[in-house]
Every structure is written in C-alpha cells, then in structure tokens.
Amino acid sequence: MMSAWMALIVPLAAFVNGARNDGDTLPCAKVQTSSFVVPLGGSVSASCVIRDSCPLVSQQGGGVIEWQLDGYALPSSSSTREGERASRVLIPSFNLSRAFLTCNIQAQVVGGVEIRAGYPPESPQNLSCQTNLTTGTMSCRWEPGQREPLLPTSYVLHTENRDGNYSYDVPPGLNHYTVPRFGIILFSEMEIYVKAVNELGTATSLPITLEPVSAAKFDPPVIKKIQAKAHGCLTLSWSLSPQQAWMRTSSMDLELRVKTAGSSQWISKPTLFRPKEQRGPLDQCRLLHGTQYVVQVRVRYKESPWSEWSRSQPGVTLERAPSGYLEWWMKRSGDHVTKQVHLFWKASKWFRANSQNVSYVVSAQTQSGEREQLCSTRGNYCTFQLPAKPAKLYLNAVNRAGKSKPTKVHIHDPKVHTALSNVLVTPDDDGALTVQWRSMVSPDLKGFIVEWRPLLNANISVTQFEITDRNQTSLVLKGSFEPYKPYGISVYPRFKGWIGLPQTVHAYSRQKAPSVVPKMQSTKTWRSSIEFKWDEIPVEQRNGIIQSYKIFYWNKKGPVNVVTADLQERRLVLENLDSELVYEAFMMVSTYGGSLNGSRIYFQVDPYDVVTVISVTLSFGVALTAFIIIAIHFSSHIWVKVHFWPVVPDPANSSIKRWSSESTQDTHFTSENEEPNPEYISHLSFLDISQKSSKEDDNVWLSNAEDTSDLGESICGSPFIPQYSAPYATVAFGSPCNSPTMKTCPAYLRSESTQPLLTPEEPFTPQCYQNADNDGISEKQCFFGPCNDFVREEADTEIPWDDFPFLRALAMNQVQKE
C-alpha cells in the first residue's frame, strides 16, 4: 500500500511543484541514495536537492527541508548554494525489509526513493538427483537454506558431463528441477551443482558427481518361482520388471525377506545378495520345516535407492517329523465310575510341528503294556473316558513325515484342597490382562495353572492355559481379548499327583455402561412401603462387572432420594412413603466403564396396610368357622332347630278349636322342655262329594284325582285356611256341605304334600279314634281308612274334644251347617 501510495504522490507533487521550462516540466527536487538495497541492519545515506525555481520555494519565500521514513521524521542537515538548496540524511541501522524515504517542504513531498533490505543467499544444501529410467529424465532437489533472504532469490542448476556444460534457470519459488533427457548420459558420470543469486550476492552448493543410472530407482522386481529343494530352504528365481529388463541383473544388489504365513512380523533383517553371489537362483535357508512362508525381494544399482518390495509369493518348506514336546493341562469331571477327562495342550517354545497338517493322538498304556488309542484330533483339546486301570497316558504329534516323541501325561486326581486366595484381574493398556493371587504355604505345592476362556463362547476348544511355578504369583495374559466381553479366569493350585480347588473370577479387558437396564416390578405393598424386584441382566448385555443398582425416586413435594440395592438379592424396599402422593422412579445400573439409566415408572402405595387387612380377614374367617362348628354341634337341640328350621306341626296332634291365621306362624319356645302348641297346625280342607248312583262312587278318588291336586283350598269356603300353608289332610263328605244331615261316613284322605314332618310317619293306616254322634253313641272312626268295622258304644262321659282334633273339626263343620 505504501509503494502504491508513493507511486502516485511523488509524480503528483513533482507535477504541482515543478517549473515549466521550454515546454517541459522540471522536478522541484532530486533524491539520491547510497544504495537502494542494503543488508538488513546496515546504514543508508541519502540527499535531496531542491531548485530555487521550484514554485513551492519561490511562492513561500523559502522553506525547511524535512526527511521522513514511512511517515516518521528523520534528523537531517541542510546546505545552500547558488540556484539550489540541498539536504542530507543518514540512517545508521535500517531494520525494515522495505520502506519509502521522502524529502518534504512544508509537509509536502517533493521527492523520494524505496529502500529494501535483506540477506545474501545461503548455499543450497542436500542436493540429490534421481533418474527415471522410463522417461530418461533426472530430477534434482535441494534445500535453499534455513535463513529467509527476504529478497527475491533465483536458482540456477548447472550440469557438466562429457558432452559439455548446461545451465537451467529454475522458476521462482521452486527448489527442484528436472533435467531433460538430452542433458544426461546414463552410464557417464556428470557433475551437478546449484547456484543461488539475489541483489546482495551469490551462493553455490557443493557439487555432486554421479552416474545417472546409479541414481535411478528401479521398479519392483518379479519373483518367478519358489521351490523347496532341501530341508529348511527355499529356492527362488527372479527378474526385473518388463520395462527394465534390458538392465543386467548381475550388476544389481538384491535383498530378500521372509515371514511365516499369517504373521505380521518379518523374520530378522533382509538377506543381501551381492552381484558376485548371483550365480543363478537364490537360496534362502535356515527356515522351519514344513512351514509356509511369504517371500519378497527388492533391487538397486550401486548406490541408487532401493526399489519398492515385490509382490509377496508363498512357499512351503519340506516336512519333517514333529520335534520337541507339548505342554498339557488335564481336568477331571464326573464320578469315580465315569472318570471323564478333558485334556488340553499347546506347543512349547521347543516344539516344532515341521508340517502344516498336524494331528494329535492321545493313547493309554495298560498294565499289560498294550497301547490303546483314546482320541485323535487336529484341535488342541480332547475329551475321553479313562480306562479302568490305565498305567500311563501319552500325547503324540503326527504328520506325514512321522511322529514326535511321546509327551507323558500324568493323571492328576482332583482334591478338595486349595493353596491360593485373593485372585485379582486388572486390564492393561494394550488389551492384556494381569492376574494376581496370593499363595499359601504348602510343602506339596508345585505350581499353578491359570486357565481362561470367553464366557460367551461355549466351545471348549477356545480354552487357554499357562503353567507357572510355585514362586510365581502373577501372570500377564496376552491374546485377542475383545473389549466389553466377559472372560472367566481360574487359577488352580498344582500339587504332586493331584490338583486343588480353583478360584474363578470374571474379567473384562475394557468396560462400558450396560446395554440395558432391568425392568422394576412391584411385588409387595404396605401402608407406607413398597418392594421392587428385577431380573438379572444377561451376560452378553452387561459390558462390564455390575457395581451397583441405584433407585432414584421422588414426588412433586419432596427431594430426590437415592437408595442402593444389594447386588445379589436384586430387590429393594422403599420405606416412609406417603399413600396420598404419586411417586416417580428410575433405576441406574453402573459398571467400572459407565452407567445407564432405565425408564421412569410411577407408583403409589395403598392407604390400607395389607398385613392388617389380612389379619382382620383371617380373624373373621376363624370366628365364622367356629360359629359354624358350634351351630352344627347344637343342631340337635330343639331351640336351634326352631331358629334355623321352621316348625311343621304334627297333624295327628293338631287342634283347630282356636284355628286362626296366627297359627301358621313359626312357633317360638322359651325353653327346650316346652312342647309345640298343639293348636297350631296346618289347615285342613273339606271336600263335598256329590251322591252318585253309579259304580263310580267306589272310585270317586280315582275319577277325581285331579280335583284333589289343590288341597290347600276348601270347597266349603273355610275361613281357617292360613297363608303359606299346605294341607296335611282332606276330609271328604258324602253330602254337600250344606246338607242338614250326614248320612255317610266322612272319608279322610292322606295329603299329597311332600313337606317332611318332624316325626316319622307310620307305614300303615293310622289308628282309629272314638267319635260320638248326637245320640251319644260312640263309634270308632278310622281316619284315612275304611269305616265299616267300628262298634258302637254308649258314651257315659263327656267327649274330650282336645284329644280328638279331627272330630273337633267335624263338629265345628256340623255346627256351621246347622
């Protein structure tokens, strides 16, 4: 902005203040400086000469000359001579990268210059070149130096070979350049250097001498074939890429590296092959037998950079019989009869399978010396049943080349004994688990066995183990431990000839909050309390070891309450609750890795205490049961009968002399010795039968059976029929009720009522009673039976009507007729 401003203001000031001479405008002032570009921090001197003919001077009659550096005033000295005025200024230390120095009269600019400062260029460093054999060009790079020159600096690349010298101007701002193909000779040495130039000086890099082909980075070579011709060796043949096949491989350096298939680590350092060693195919030895390897190679020419590694090629070495021994761990299960055995094994650091396909055989040697094969598998475990009396157990590794030496397996019996405590598992940062335990003093203790497996995988083949000695009380377990997955870790004490009881813990390599929160369910409610229960979180959703179950509950009138539940019971009782308020609650489940809140629920306790209600209900039930038992016990008592069953009068002992509607009511007795009132009986109905001359007289009841169905209504209109009563007898008259005299004997019929009587009825015809007529002659009347076998007797005494209730009824009927 300042340079642009000065570019406008200086010509403008010169134009305004200049004097016209012969048609030309002459500047009023002329500024000169010792250097327009100076080293940063160096001194700068300048002078300003003003003509007397300058209008600005003549109009004002002269003025003072002032100096300014980017608007800041500078001290100066002035001098005058004929026709002009001059002023000089000295800047002892110029610390700006660029600035404008102006000459002013009366605060107006009459002249000025731009001064720049910087550093001379540094010598370029680390010059290197690389040849591209495909294009035939060579690219060179360098570093311009650590100090910024602050001034425009240009670079020139110089090359010199047997054909001559060449210089290449590098575009501004770049520190690399590609030499064209015509400027290089692949197999001829050439000298190369770089020169840096700016207004303060020139600097040249150290020259390098190289053969362009030695600066070429070759393409990755190609492995043609890999064979296994000797034990522990692989033989391979290779070539350069098709684009670079014109190069002679005998002049190339080659490196070879190998690793076992599936491994991420290459075996030691790459093997270097010099040109004199290349007499045909390459041999890589000291490899394991029967093992698949992956091979890669790379090349270079003299000191050129290494090419990229070739594509991997597999190769398998020749097999040999397995060598070394296996580490094993045996667990017993079942009773003494079944003797189920789980045998696990793994390769020791001295074991070599020497084959890709290895199987394992477990055999038992009996006391007679015979071998019995128990199992054969390609896995790392076997489950079998021990023979009755095995002498020895052996474990062998087998491949196509042979069988390893047998590993003897000792039959260890489990016993109820332990020699360890306080098993603790802590995760490490790299995903490993550290197991620690405390060992107890025991003279028979030989060591410990640490066993672990993922709990979410039921396959027993994933079980792993480590064997330690008796002095070791910690172990770092390394493997593919998945985060947020539970692992069961057991530590067994190992004694001479037997195995003790283990201690098992669950562990996680990394934990986080559970995936779910169990649902709370209310199971019991009291007057001011409520009980909640919940199910256990499934193992696959815990994501860590559960540390706490916390219940948060509150109501609108109170604060939030927090209660921690027992981890084992998974139940909680909230107390001191108000039955008139509705509560809100939720559960928070926590692990070492985080916490998760469950859904909110609402609940309210009952205003009545459930225990009290149950107690009252039980008391009432007991009282009611006792009352029923007492009632049943006294049911034979007449007083109880009267109160619980209606009294049914006995027709044979009834009297109708005081027959009224009240007689039909239930009779109440004041004492159990009192007898029922004989006057209160069920009513009798009277039936008049018209005289007929036909033979139907004999079967009058058969022909009029339907007429007697309603015996509760008297055809004579008797006023003594009570309400809610059923007749027990019907008196039939041979003549109408209004007949003056009764010529035939009244017939008594049994009632058709099914109402039970209090006393049992006789199965035969009732006894005949003595009845007296108006003449004083008594005749034996047979109620409910025939009346042709009675004998008349004279009545000397008065008839006791109370003893003959039915006759009393007949007498009253006769009186009414009269």
Side-chain angles (χ1 to χ4, degrees):
M1 287 296 292
M2 182 62 69
S3 61
W5 179 79
M6 289 301 299
L8 293 174
I9 196 64
V10 171
L12 180 61
F15 175 78
V16 172
N17 299 320
R20 184 173 298 275
N21 184 13
D22 299 330
D24 295 331
T25 301
L26 299 177
C28 288
K30 183 178 181 181
V31 178
Q32 295 180 344
T33 181
S34 59
S35 178
F36 293 99
V37 179
V38 296
L40 189 66
S43 61
V44 177
S45 61
S47 63
C48 180
V49 178
I50 301 177
R51 298 175 182 273
D52 289 339
S53 59
C54 180
L56 187 62
V57 174
S58 61
Q59 292 176 4
Q60 297 181 358
V64 179
I65 301 175
E66 298 177 349
W67 291 92
Q68 290 185 354
L69 183 65
D70 276 355
Y72 293 95
L74 297 176
S76 61
S77 61
S78 301
S79 63
T80 303
R81 61 184 180 180
E82 184 179 354
E84 61 183 12
R85 295 181 181 184
S87 177
R88 299 180 185 277
V89 67
L90 176 65
I91 303 174
S93 179
F94 190 84
N95 294 321
L96 300 174
S97 61
R98 62 189 306 171
F100 286 94
L101 181 63
T102 60
C103 177
N104 306 310
I105 297 178
Q106 299 297 329
Q108 295 190 27
V109 177
V110 294
V113 293
E114 181 184 19
I115 301 175
R116 292 178 292 125
Y119 300 103
E122 292 182 340
S123 299
Q125 304 293 324
N126 301 327
L127 176 61
S128 63
C129 297
Q130 181 175 325
T131 304
N132 188 334
L133 295 178
T134 303
T135 61
T137 59
M138 183 172 60
S139 298
C140 296
R141 291 180 174 272
W142 60 90
E143 295 178 1
Q146 297 180 354
R147 186 178 62 183
E148 176 65 34
L150 300 178
L151 296 173
T153 302
S154 62
Y155 294 91
V156 179
L157 179 66
H158 296 271
T159 65
E160 182 179 349
N161 57 21
R162 68 186 182 185
D163 289 343
N165 299 333
Y166 299 90
S167 297
Y168 305 97
D169 294 329
V170 180
L174 300 180
N175 59 345
H176 59 85
Y177 189 81
T178 300
V179 178
R181 184 171 184 175
F182 66 85
I184 63 174
I185 302 174
L186 290 178
F187 295 98
S188 176
E189 290 186 352
M190 62 187 302
E191 185 180 81
I192 305 172
Y193 64 92
V194 178
K195 182 183 292 186
V197 180
N198 66 12
E199 295 174 293
L200 294 179
T202 302
T204 304
S205 69
L206 294 175
I208 60 173
T209 301
L210 54 81
E211 186 180 7
V213 70
S214 66
K217 182 177 180 180
F218 286 79
D219 295 336
V222 178
I223 299 177
K224 294 182 177 180
K225 188 176 182 181
I226 296 179
Q227 291 179 323
K229 295 182 178 180
H231 286 287
C233 295
L234 289 176
T235 302
L236 68 151
S237 57
W238 65 280
S239 67
L240 292 175
S241 65
Q243 294 80 7
Q244 300 167 357
W246 50 267
M247 284 289 297
R248 293 174 298 176
T249 59
S250 60
S251 60
M252 307 291 292
D253 293 338
L254 184 139
E255 273 189 346
L256 181 147
R257 65 179 182 179
V258 296
K259 68 176 181 179
T260 57
S263 175
S264 60
Q265 298 294 329
W266 297 96
I267 299 175
S268 66
K269 295 181 179 180
T271 303
L272 178 61
F273 295 91
R274 291 297 182 181
K276 63 180 181 179
E277 300 174 356
Q278 298 182 26
R279 299 289 188 267
L282 302 177
D283 291 332
Q284 177 67 46
C285 296
R286 297 181 181 179
L287 302 177
L288 299 177
H289 303 284
T291 305
Q292 184 177 17
Y293 288 94
V294 175
V295 183
Q296 288 181 343
V297 293
R298 65 180 180 176
V299 296
R300 73 176 181 182
Y301 178 79
K302 294 182 179 180
E303 300 301 326
S304 71
W306 287 102
S307 70
E308 300 297 332
W309 290 101
S310 67
R311 290 187 178 182
S312 300
Q313 290 293 333
V316 181
T317 57
L318 297 178
E319 293 184 357
R320 273 190 175 179
S323 60
Y325 67 91
L326 299 166
E327 291 184 349
W328 57 270
W329 154 235
M330 183 177 69
K331 295 171 62 175
R332 299 281 298 275
S333 64
D335 52 20
H336 295 286
V337 178
T338 58
K339 295 182 180 180
Q340 194 79 7
V341 172
H342 304 280
L343 183 63
F344 304 89
W345 57 82
K346 66 177 182 177
S348 66
K349 59 182 178 180
W350 298 279
F351 178 78
R352 296 293 181 267
N354 296 332
S355 176
Q356 292 182 280
N357 299 319
V358 182
S359 61
Y360 302 91
V361 177
V362 180
S363 58
Q365 182 178 356
T366 62
Q367 295 180 353
S368 61
E370 297 181 357
R371 286 287 187 95
E372 178 184 353
Q373 180 174 314
L374 301 179
C375 72
S376 177
T377 178
R378 292 184 179 271
N380 60 347
Y381 84 100
C382 188
T383 300
F384 54 89
Q385 187 172 349
L386 282 177
K389 293 182 179 180
K392 298 178 182 178
L393 286 181
Y394 295 100
L395 176 62
N396 293 88
V398 182
N399 62 16
R400 290 179 296 181
K403 182 185 297 185
S404 69
K405 292 183 178 180
T407 300
K408 187 176 181 181
V409 178
H410 300 281
I411 303 175
H412 290 162
D413 295 327
K415 289 187 179 181
V416 183
H417 186 74
T418 186
L420 59 92
S421 62
N422 299 336
V423 177
L424 178 64
V425 180
T426 56
D428 291 343
D429 294 337
D430 56 353
L433 296 176
T434 300
V435 186
Q436 296 176 320
W437 63 90
R438 179 176 298 178
S439 176
M440 300 179 183
V441 178
S442 178
D444 298 331
L445 183 64
K446 298 299 180 182
F448 301 93
I449 297 175
V450 181
E451 178 190 83
W452 71 95
R453 68 179 184 88
L455 297 180
L456 300 182
N457 192 341
N459 191 351
I460 196 174
S461 64
V462 299
T463 302
Q464 302 183 55
F465 68 93
E466 286 287 344
I467 301 176
T468 67
D469 56 29
R470 60 178 300 172
N471 298 323
Q472 187 173 351
T473 58
S474 65
L475 182 65
V476 178
L477 305 181
K478 295 183 179 180
S480 56
F481 291 103
E482 297 184 46
Y484 322 125
K485 303 297 182 182
Y487 290 86
I489 302 176
S490 301
V491 182
Y492 291 80
R494 181 169 54 92
F495 300 91
K496 184 178 180 180
W498 52 283
I499 299 294
L501 293 177
Q503 284 202 1
T504 303
V505 296
H506 293 175
Y508 291 79
S509 62
R510 192 181 304 168
Q511 301 186 39
K512 66 178 181 179
S515 300
V516 296
V517 176
K519 183 179 180 181
M520 295 190 302
Q521 298 179 352
S522 61
T523 56
K524 296 181 181 179
T525 304
W526 295 272
R527 186 172 185 179
S528 62
S529 303
I530 187 171
E531 180 186 63
F532 288 103
K533 289 186 178 181
W534 55 90
D535 297 331
E536 189 174 9
I537 301 177
V539 177
E540 61 273 11
Q541 295 179 326
R542 296 178 189 174
N543 301 329
I545 299 176
I546 302 299
Q547 295 300 306
S548 64
Y549 295 97
K550 291 185 179 180
I551 308 300
F552 296 78
Y553 69 97
W554 67 93
N555 56 58
K556 294 183 179 179
K557 297 183 179 180
V560 177
N561 303 290
V562 183
V563 182
T564 302
D566 187 89
L567 292 176
Q568 303 299 328
E569 292 186 0
R570 298 191 303 280
R571 61 179 294 272
L572 185 67
V573 177
L574 303 181
E575 300 178 343
N576 301 324
L577 303 177
D578 193 339
S579 60
E580 297 181 355
L581 299 176
V582 177
Y583 288 84
E584 189 174 356
F586 68 89
M587 176 188 290
M588 182 178 72
V589 186
S590 302
T591 67
Y592 284 117
S595 303
L596 182 65
N597 296 337
S599 301
R600 294 187 179 185
I601 63 172
Y602 299 88
F603 66 90
Q604 186 176 13
V605 296
D606 295 334
Y608 299 100
D609 195 340
V610 176
V611 176
T612 304
V613 174
I614 294 176
S615 301
V616 173
T617 304
L618 292 176
S619 300
F620 178 78
V622 171
L624 181 61
T625 304
F627 180 78
I628 294 174
I629 294 174
I630 295 174
I632 294 174
H633 178 71
F634 292 100
S635 61
S636 59
H637 197 279
I638 188 64
W639 184 83
V640 177
K641 287 183 178 181
V642 170
H643 282 77
F644 283 92
W645 291 277
V647 176
V648 180
D650 183 2
N653 296 320
S654 300
S655 175
I656 56 176
K657 63 181 179 179
R658 289 179 299 177
W659 215 350
S660 65
S661 63
E662 291 81 358
S663 63
T664 62
Q665 304 298 323
D666 293 340
T667 305
H668 302 279
F669 305 104
T670 59
S671 174
E672 63 180 355
N673 295 327
E674 295 180 359
E675 294 294 336
N677 191 340
E679 295 178 355
Y680 298 143
I681 62 173
S682 297
H683 71 274
L684 299 176
S685 60
F686 299 91
L687 182 64
D688 291 339
I689 302 175
S690 58
Q691 296 291 333
K692 294 182 181 180
S693 60
S694 64
K695 295 181 179 181
E696 295 178 356
D697 295 343
D698 297 338
N699 297 328
V700 62
W701 302 110
L702 297 177
S703 60
N704 296 299
E706 296 180 358
D707 296 337
T708 62
S709 60
D710 186 10
L711 298 178
E713 181 180 358
S714 174
I715 60 177
C716 297
S718 174
F720 303 105
I721 299 175
Q723 190 176 4
Y724 310 117
S725 62
Y728 280 89
T730 301
V731 180
F733 294 89
S735 59
C737 295
N738 54 5
S739 178
T741 60
M742 184 173 59
K743 297 181 181 181
T744 61
C745 177
Y748 294 88
L749 303 179
R750 282 185 69 89
S751 173
E752 295 179 358
S753 173
T754 59
Q755 178 72 28
L757 301 178
L758 292 180
T759 57
E761 296 180 352
E762 295 295 337
F764 47 84
T765 304
Q767 297 291 333
C768 296
Y769 290 89
Q770 295 294 330
N771 194 6
D773 54 9
N774 295 334
D775 297 336
I777 301 174
S778 62
E779 63 179 348
K780 191 175 183 179
Q781 180 64 50
C782 183
F783 300 100
F784 305 101
C787 55
N788 56 358
D789 55 349
F790 64 91
V791 179
R792 291 179 176 268
E793 295 182 357
E794 294 182 0
D796 298 334
T797 61
E798 186 179 357
I799 299 174
W801 296 108
D802 293 336
D803 294 336
F804 301 95
F806 288 101
L807 295 180
R808 176 82 174 185
L810 294 175
M812 294 177 64
N813 188 36
Q814 186 176 2
V815 172
Q816 292 177 0
K817 292 179 180 181
E818 294 175 354

